[in-house]
Amino acid sequence: MTAQNRLYLDHAATTPVLPEARAAIAHALETWANPSSPHADGRAARAALERAREDIAGALGWRHDIIFTSGATEAISIAAARAKVPGRAKGATEHDAVGAAMPADATVLPVDRNGLIDFAALDDFLEGGPALVAIQQVNNETGVIQPIAQIAERVRAAGSLLLADCAQGAGKLPLPDADFIAIAAHKIGGPPGFGALLVKDLANLSAIGGQERGYRRGTENLPLAAGLASALASRAFVDAMPRLSELRQTLDARIRQDGGVVIASEADRSAAIGAYGMPGVASASQLVQFDLAGISVSAGSACSSGSMKPSKVLGAMDVPADVASTAIRVSFGPDTSDADLERFLSEWRRIRMRASSRAA
């Protein structure tokens, strides 16, 4: 099957680079120089880099500092390691990047069956003194949207700091009022290998010297910064979200009609991500069959789904094992259409019917 015939429904893993972003990257490469060089070429590159930074801030509605990084993972690592508070906590359904960045003794905050943070547990933790609390805006496996505003209010009242992983939300939803925000360009049609840490007050973050005002070493990547700025300026995801919301609601309803399970159905969820269980058909089997049919979906995070281990996210939500073992993630992009949805649902029914026939 040719690439043109394939249906890509794994945008939560990575999105195709938008034409606008590719053009911006190509243009920046034509005039590339090291932005830290003192000569005229370097000064021109520095000016272009700062324009990109300003454009990114404007597109996101962010009025504070932006530190460019190699992606959301590095952004999370910087905040987790260098936030100037002693304690550390993370939600039980956070991306593996948060777990890797946090110390082994970091407190894990439980979630309910819809994946929402347990406020009582959060309040108990915050009584222990100033800390950094890491919470996703949008879960990458289920699409569950955390009540970040309420979480931020509690964290701030306790004199602590909030790190919001917005890799799946930035460029699609308004940013939360957090002290640190991690974003990734490749989740919104920008280039891979680039992201940023948005910082409300640099006084809360230890500097290490080097570039990015002393908060991140390494040559600044002007071409990829220009690509992210252009991707955000396109508003591709922002403008598509109302239509994608209708698509995902239709998908939810049709999955239920066909005997499937909609995971975290009672929670507020991203229009671009849905998690579904197909009773009696293992996730791995579904992925193979969808792939052979030319449809790309996943089973949870792309960073860990290759191992096909049970999802820690679904486990933290107490999703029954017979559902969790059959769960796949379907995630939309700006160009996902009604026809794409029908093609996916048609294959979903075929896989389910084949399994039912074998069971009979």
Side-chain angles (χ1 to χ4, degrees):
M1 180 169 290
T2 65
Q4 289 80 5
N5 292 329
R6 290 193 62 86
L7 171 55
Y8 188 74
L9 293 176
D10 198 20
H11 293 267
T14 197
T15 54
V17 179
L18 292 166
E20 299 93 330
R22 289 199 299 269
I25 293 167
H27 177 73
L29 286 170
E30 292 174 358
T31 57
W32 166 247
N34 191 319
S36 294
S37 296
H39 48 62
D41 293 324
R43 294 196 303 273
R46 167 63 60 182
L49 182 73
E50 296 311 317
R51 283 196 301 273
R53 199 187 311 268
E54 292 172 3
D55 290 344
I56 291 166
L60 294 172
W62 185 251
R63 300 179 180 179
H64 312 286
D65 288 288
I66 296 179
I67 299 170
F68 288 142
T69 67
S70 62
T73 294
E74 185 190 1
I76 289 166
S77 296
I78 290 172
R82 290 163 32 204
K84 293 181 180 178
V85 284
R88 295 290 186 272
K90 60 180 180 178
T93 56
E94 298 304 300
H95 191 281
D96 284 348
V98 175
M102 288 280 187
D105 62 352
T107 296
V108 179
L109 303 172
V111 298
D112 65 18
R113 63 188 181 88
N114 282 304
L116 301 175
I117 289 293
D118 183 325
F119 279 158
L122 173 62
D123 291 341
D124 286 346
F125 169 77
L126 292 172
E127 289 179 359
L132 177 71
V133 179
I135 303 292
Q136 277 180 316
Q137 181 187 31
V138 176
N139 184 265
N140 54 295
E141 291 190 31
T142 63
V144 168
I145 300 174
Q146 293 288 348
I148 291 286
Q150 297 174 52
I151 293 170
E153 183 179 356
R154 283 173 153 82
V155 171
R156 191 163 293 114
S160 292
L161 301 174
L162 177 63
L163 164 60
D165 172 7
C166 294
Q168 298 290 351
K172 303 169 187 175
L173 300 172
L175 292 181
D177 182 19
D179 299 285
F180 305 102
I181 293 175
I183 67 172
H186 75 110
K187 304 295 188 182
I188 47 175
F194 194 76
L197 177 66
L198 282 54
V199 184
K200 179 175 285 188
D201 185 352
L202 287 173
N204 289 323
L205 191 69
S206 296
I208 59 171
Q211 290 84 346
E212 291 297 286
R213 297 177 62 182
Y215 289 90
R216 194 251 184 179
R217 293 190 179 97
T219 301
E220 301 97 330
N221 198 323
L222 168 59
L224 299 194
L228 173 56
S230 183
L232 286 168
S234 75
R235 294 180 53 88
F237 269 97
V238 171
D239 292 343
M241 291 304 272
R243 182 180 58 80
L244 297 185
S245 179
E246 294 179 1
L247 278 183
R248 208 220 61 225
Q249 291 177 50
T250 298
L251 178 57
D252 287 357
R254 298 277 290 279
I255 289 289
R256 289 192 189 95
Q257 290 172 13
D258 289 338
V261 178
V262 179
I263 294 172
S265 60
E266 298 176 13
D268 186 19
R269 290 176 292 140
S270 167
I273 301 174
Y276 307 97
M278 183 187 292
V281 186
S283 304
S285 176
Q286 291 181 61
L287 295 190
V288 170
Q289 293 182 70
F290 276 118
D291 195 33
L292 290 173
I295 301 174
S296 298
V297 293
S298 67
S301 170
C303 301
S304 59
S305 62
S307 66
M308 294 311 298
K309 295 179 181 178
S311 165
K312 291 186 293 184
V313 169
L314 301 186
M317 295 167 60
D318 286 330
V319 174
D322 61 338
V323 174
S325 64
T326 72
I328 65 168
R329 179 184 68 187
V330 181
S331 48
F332 300 149
D335 296 329
T336 305
S337 66
D338 291 342
D340 294 334
L341 187 62
E342 290 302 324
R343 178 177 169 186
F344 169 80
L345 286 165
S346 178
E347 188 58 31
W348 166 282
R349 284 191 294 272
R350 276 196 288 270
I351 294 172
R352 185 128 161 67
M353 289 175 64
R354 281 195 293 265
S356 298
S357 298
R358 287 194 295 270

